[in-house]
Amino acid sequence: AQLIVTMAAPTLEAIRYSRGKLQLLDQLKLPTETVFMDVPDCDVCWTAIKDMNVRGAPAIAIAAALALAVELDGAKATLATAGDVCAFVATKMDHLNTSRPTAVNLGEAVERIKKLAASLDGSGADAVEAVIAECEGMLAADIANNRAIGSFGADALC
């Protein structure tokens, strides 16, 4: 007979995001505390990356992208054209890149998002939506990758 035990395990997450809101696990508090930091804009994210509150190459890149998404969501009414969005994105992402200039994933995310923003035309609202969707897509892909890694690991162990 095979014994199967099912346990409800807590979900391990370092990033909590919903449109317009970002929280990052403060990794400096681990392992004694689980504290999430509110990240309302790119400046707060820059500090979290620089001070190593957020660590790990993929997490750093995703945090930067989502901080941009949150700030874009809040600023969308002031960005009339795709050109306005492109300039906003370039300024914010270039600044975020200085938080950890050697972080390869961060650099790749910065270039990817800036390239997308530069390719857009039309209304600011449409451009904002396209950039936010790209940033959210990066989070979705990261979650899918992590689940696949976990699945492969589980298969290898069982």
Side-chain angles (χ1 to χ4, degrees):
Q2 182 180 10
L3 176 62
I4 299 175
V5 178
T6 303
M7 297 178 5
T11 301
L12 177 63
E13 60 183 346
I15 298 171
R16 292 179 176 168
Y17 173 82
S18 60
R19 181 69 63 102
K21 184 175 181 183
L22 173 63
Q23 293 183 312
L24 301 174
L25 178 64
D26 184 348
Q27 295 184 31
L28 293 176
K29 305 273 188 199
L30 296 175
T32 57
E33 296 178 80
T34 301
V35 176
F36 283 85
M37 308 168 53
D38 289 322
V39 181
D41 58 40
C42 293
D43 289 335
V44 172
C45 188
W46 186 95
T47 301
I49 294 169
K50 181 77 170 169
D51 292 349
M52 297 191 71
N53 300 94
V54 59
R55 298 182 204 167
I60 291 167
I62 301 298
L66 293 176
L68 174 69
V70 168
E71 197 160 347
L72 266 174
D73 187 63
K76 62 186 168 194
T78 67
L79 302 168
T81 68
D84 295 337
V85 173
C86 181
F88 183 93
V89 167
T91 298
K92 297 298 179 176
M93 294 310 284
D94 286 344
H95 176 62
L96 281 163
N97 202 32
T98 67
S99 65
R100 187 110 26 103
T102 60
V104 173
N105 292 48
L106 175 58
E108 290 173 351
V110 165
E111 291 308 313
R112 174 177 167 180
I113 294 167
K114 285 173 51 179
K115 182 178 179 182
L116 169 68
S119 75
L120 300 171
D121 56 15
S123 76
D126 289 346
V128 164
E129 183 57 37
V131 173
I132 290 174
E134 180 73 11
C135 296
E136 291 173 346
M138 292 170 69
L139 174 62
D142 186 60
I143 290 169
N145 289 339
N146 290 331
R147 288 189 174 143
I149 290 167
S151 178
F152 290 131
D155 290 346
L157 292 173
C158 297

